[in-house]
Amino acid sequence: QVQLVESGGGLVQAGGSLRLSCAASGRTFRNYAIGWFRQAPGKEREFVAHITWSGGTTYYADSVKGRFTISRDNAKNTVFLQMDSLKPEDTAVYYCAADPRPTVTWYDYDYWGQGTQVTVSS
């Protein structure tokens, strides 16, 4: 079992930065890949980025590549999403999720956090 709690969301102006955290509990956290997803009102949940259990491999959606950076600290059971050069279209609820295999498909993930709101004003 893995429990996930996101934090770090908020309101920021376009061009600004936020750093999201995904804190996990459970002894097997380091066995899981972690994905970040987001969902805007009226839209489907979409993939943002994922990272393997070792942190050695990362993958990003084209829409955030070059602006977002995913990383993890297994000693602290935490995954981070550094978001720079934010745009109004990045506004959404951001979720982290855990699964043994990193995929871009949200329904593949077994465990989810409650989400954190990110709002980017123009």
Side-chain angles (χ1 to χ4, degrees):
Q1 286 279 358
V2 178
Q3 293 80 43
L4 304 171
V5 178
E6 303 95 335
S7 62
L11 173 64
V12 64
Q13 289 188 334
S17 298
L18 283 174
R19 189 191 197 201
L20 305 184
S21 297
C22 173
S25 60
R27 291 180 295 175
T28 60
F29 169 74
R30 60 190 63 204
N31 294 337
Y32 286 81
I34 299 294
W36 282 98
F37 292 80
R38 65 187 182 186
Q39 189 165 18
K43 296 187 176 181
E44 292 191 356
R45 189 165 299 190
E46 66 172 355
F47 169 76
V48 175
H50 67 55
I51 188 166
T52 55
W53 69 269
S54 67
T57 302
T58 58
Y59 186 73
Y60 300 90
D62 287 344
S63 59
V64 307
K65 198 174 297 182
R67 300 188 298 122
F68 291 11
T69 303
I70 189 171
S71 62
R72 70 189 292 164
D73 184 341
N74 284 342
K76 297 182 178 180
N77 281 7
T78 303
V79 172
F80 305 98
L81 185 69
Q82 177 67 40
M83 306 187 296
D84 299 318
S85 303
L86 283 161
K87 305 175 181 180
E89 51 263 44
D90 294 318
T91 295
V93 177
Y94 283 70
Y95 301 89
C96 63
D99 193 78
R101 296 181 302 113
T103 79
V104 301
T105 309
W106 68 266
Y107 46 82
D108 286 336
Y109 284 76
D110 293 333
Y111 304 102
W112 289 84
Q114 83 291 347
T116 185
Q117 176 70 47
V118 171
T119 303
V120 184
S121 63
S122 57

